[in-house]
Amino acid sequence: MSSGLLEDASFNQSPAFGDVDLFSADRPLADAAARAGLDLADLSACGKDYGAAATLDLGRVANENPPKLHLVDGKGNRLDLVEFHPAYHAMMARSIGHGIHASAHDGSDRPGPMSTRAVRLYLATQAESGHMCPITMTHACIGALRSESALLAKWLPRIQTRTYDPRPLPWWEKNGVTLGMGMTERQGGTDVRANITRAVAHGDHVEITGHKWFMSAPMCDAFLVLAQAEGGLTCYLMPRYRPDGSKNQIRFQRLKDKLGNKSNASSEVEFHGAYAERVGAEGAGVRTIIEMVNLTRLDCAIASAGQSRIALSQALSHIRNRSVFQKRLADQPSMRATVADLALELEAQVALVFRLCRASERAHDDAAEAAYVRLLTPAVKFLVCKSTPQLVYESLECLGGNGYTEDLPLARYFRESPLNAIWEGSGNVMALDVLRAAGRHPDQAMATVSALARTAAAAFDVRPLAGTLAMVLQSGDAERRARFLCEGLAKIAALAALAEAKSEFATLYGDTRLGGERFAQFGTADLGDAETKLMDRALAT
Ligand SMILES: Cc1cc2nc3c(=O)[nH]c(=O)nc-3n(C[C@H](O)[C@H](O)[C@H](O)COP(=O)(O)OP(=O)(O)OC[C@H]3O[C@@H](n4cnc5c(N)ncnc54)[C@H](O)[C@@H]3O)c2cc1C
């Protein structure tokens, strides 16, 4: 029996978003995966898993129940334990089960190990972003551990399992482990050379004393830590337990109270003579962690594109079901112009991040691809991560007042959206990194820019911009114009990625992003007939 008018009427609201195959519904993604020759059926299963209503709800619950730090027990004994909600553990188990923490390194996905993993990361982050922090760090730490092969051989079998084992036990007793990293100190994050944490040699290991101002995912089984040794800044692996099975001298101080990223714990921590083993040569700390940082920066771009995608998907789902003035929002001309413009941006971002993944896969035996990775990784992180808050915000606004409430996930997405641009090198640092890469290998950098301009030219004439970039880069004013150089380079690369993929939107991207009459807000560009196709491809039904 009906209980009344209010429950029966649909009130012109869109249905809950969920039970969507996030892979197949995302045509730009599915096209990128097909171009790379990836296993589409497998990725579609992954898309269904992360797009299931129940999985999306785990994301909500994990963020509504943030982790708690337990410093001591009721009798004053030190615990240093962070308690996570079961929903967070369920997300971790799922993403480790999909191998996102390790598959790029273990040869389980051929062809395209980096690209396959990137698709899974992009899908997973749509369900829940916070747990991607330890997943990404574990993946990236493998890159740094390569410089210490004995240590890697010891840890790798536990890292590469597909089992999530959150028990607080010595790593050798566990069925699977995760890795974190502690670089940032109070007096310097970007400037890690200002680190004051010290390592003192004790036979085959060191003891580290000092602090880290940010150390996320503190329940990881070991952390890559930078500390000053006799020979300079050095990288170490610091396990949670010492080799005798006792707890290591890692003392958490506090968990950060953050804008978003609520499901993930980010700690302030002190080390009181904590046991650690050297990774890479003494004094080569920065060189050692660069291996890791390049991987995390790429992950930031992939995940940010995923964050924008889930927000846009929710916006599309809503406007297709909500009517205003007797017409669906999806048929209102200015709404179409807005949403199609967001979709065009994501067409380019997806093409660009997967082009960078492909370059990363080939870099070890292709010098041109290695040069592409060096120059483009910071530029792509800059462009993609910095645009996420705006893309998420515009998607949120498509849902009107509902979008601004905590009852829907858009508010959470919005709070999460600035983070990837900050960690692993904030905006200016990325721009300066592009200059550094160009300065170290000027000929290769110029060759990369020329190749990009040639490829892009099939769709849009970027030669004037490429010429200006080259001129500014070689001028004495390059540092002041670093953001211009970085964004200009990333946009040319995005256009080249679209052109290479033979995207029908390549010219449109050039016209609207690099041509005349450009305004700052999404929805101001004239996309003409392309609107329908862009919208259909963004969330295929
Ligand atoms: C939620 C969260 C989790 C984190 N987790 C970890 C973690 O697990 N491990 C870890 O090691 N760190 C972690 N961090 C720290 C993060 O990596 C740093 O905050 C970040 O790298 C910036 O460093 P900083 O905070 O010291 O800022 P600063 O280095 O002081 O930079 C401040 C600003 O100045 C800009 N800037 C810096 N240098 C220049 C320059 N030469 N010219 C122009 N502008 C410049 C930067 O772009 C930035 O905008 C985390 C941060 C957050 C927010």
Side-chain angles (χ1 to χ4, degrees), residues 181 183-184 189-190 214 216 258 266 419 423 426 428-429 432:
M181 55 178 89
M183 312 295 154
T184 310
T190 305
F214 280 91
S216 289
K258 298 173 285 187
S266 300
L419 180 53
W423 60 14
S426 312
N428 289 349
V429 177
L432 294 175

Side-chain angles (χ1 to χ4, degrees), residues 152-490:
L152 181 65
K154 214 162 64 167
W155 279 80
L156 202 55
R158 310 262 162 195
I159 298 172
Q160 284 180 333
T161 70
R162 298 295 188 262
T163 306
Y164 172 55
D165 186 346
R167 293 174 300 162
L169 290 174
W171 63 269
W172 58 90
E173 292 178 20
K174 295 184 62 167
N175 301 320
V177 298
T178 52
L179 306 177
M181 55 178 89
M183 312 295 154
T184 310
E185 298 188 4
R186 253 195 302 278
Q187 73 287 351
T190 305
D191 186 6
V192 288
R193 288 184 194 279
N195 275 195
I196 52 174
T197 295
R198 300 211 67 84
V200 176
H202 281 266
D204 63 350
H205 68 279
V206 296
E207 289 185 359
I208 295 184
T209 300
H211 81 283
K212 294 293 162 185
W213 184 234
F214 280 91
M215 196 168 85
S216 289
M219 290 301 98
C220 285
D221 297 283
F223 305 88
L224 281 182
V225 168
L226 283 179
Q228 300 287 359
E230 291 263 309
L233 195 65
T234 306
C235 182
Y236 298 95
L237 186 70
M238 181 187 285
R240 290 253 314 281
Y241 288 81
R242 301 168 69 92
D244 66 4
S246 63
K247 275 193 184 167
N248 207 354
Q249 305 302 315
I250 301 172
R251 302 275 185 256
F252 299 115
Q253 305 297 302
R254 199 168 72 120
L255 295 186
K256 300 284 190 190
D257 185 5
K258 298 173 285 187
L259 170 67
N261 197 246
K262 297 284 185 189
S263 68
N264 181 31
S266 300
S267 72
E268 294 165 14
V269 62
E270 285 181 359
F271 310 132
H272 296 260
Y275 173 98
E277 292 177 55
R278 187 169 44 74
V279 180
E282 189 167 298
V286 172
R287 196 169 1 114
T288 307
I289 61 159
I290 282 299
E291 285 303 312
M292 175 184 77
V293 167
N294 279 335
L295 292 173
T296 51
R297 287 177 178 173
L298 173 55
D299 271 14
C300 286
I302 298 163
S304 278
Q307 287 173 19
S308 297
R309 170 63 66 196
I310 186 68
L312 177 58
S313 296
Q314 303 236 2
L316 274 158
S317 165
H318 181 73
I319 65 170
R320 285 172 183 162
N321 288 283
R322 171 91 164 170
S323 294
V324 175
F325 303 120
Q326 288 83 49
K327 208 158 140 186
R328 286 185 325 152
L329 273 172
D331 296 323
Q332 301 281 6
S334 66
M335 178 60 90
R336 295 172 63 76
T338 305
V339 174
D341 208 8
L342 300 174
L344 176 60
E345 192 60 31
L346 270 173
E347 289 272 355
Q349 291 192 5
V350 168
L352 180 60
V353 293
F354 283 95
R355 175 65 185 86
L356 182 54
C357 288
R358 195 181 84 201
S360 304
E361 273 156 1
R362 297 177 177 180
H364 52 279
D365 47 27
D366 183 328
E369 295 289 45
Y372 183 101
V373 171
R374 262 198 307 273
L375 196 64
L376 266 303
T377 300
V380 172
K381 179 182 187 283
F382 180 93
L383 179 72
V384 176
C385 299
K386 281 212 156 289
S387 67
T388 308
Q390 206 189 344
L391 282 154
V392 173
Y393 148 65
E394 284 292 359
S395 302
L396 178 156
E397 193 174 303
C398 291
L399 282 93
N402 288 350
Y404 196 69
T405 69
E406 295 293 343
D407 297 323
L408 293 180
L410 281 300
R412 161 160 65 94
Y413 303 158
F414 185 59
R415 284 194 301 272
E416 185 77 25
S417 65
L419 180 53
N420 280 324
I422 294 173
W423 60 14
E424 307 305 330
S426 312
N428 289 349
V429 177
M430 290 302 89
L432 294 175
D433 236 49
V434 170
L435 295 192
R436 197 167 305 119
R440 282 210 185 120
H441 306 277
D443 295 343
Q444 291 166 7
M446 284 306 156
T448 304
V449 175
S450 303
L452 288 173
R454 271 196 309 277
T455 311
F460 182 85
D461 186 7
V462 295
R463 280 172 307 179
L465 174 60
T468 309
L469 292 179
M471 198 180 69
V472 175
L473 188 58
Q474 285 155 358
S475 73
D477 210 18
E479 188 167 338
R480 191 176 66 82
R481 305 295 318 281
R483 279 190 176 219
F484 166 73
L485 288 165
C486 184
E487 184 167 339
L489 176 66

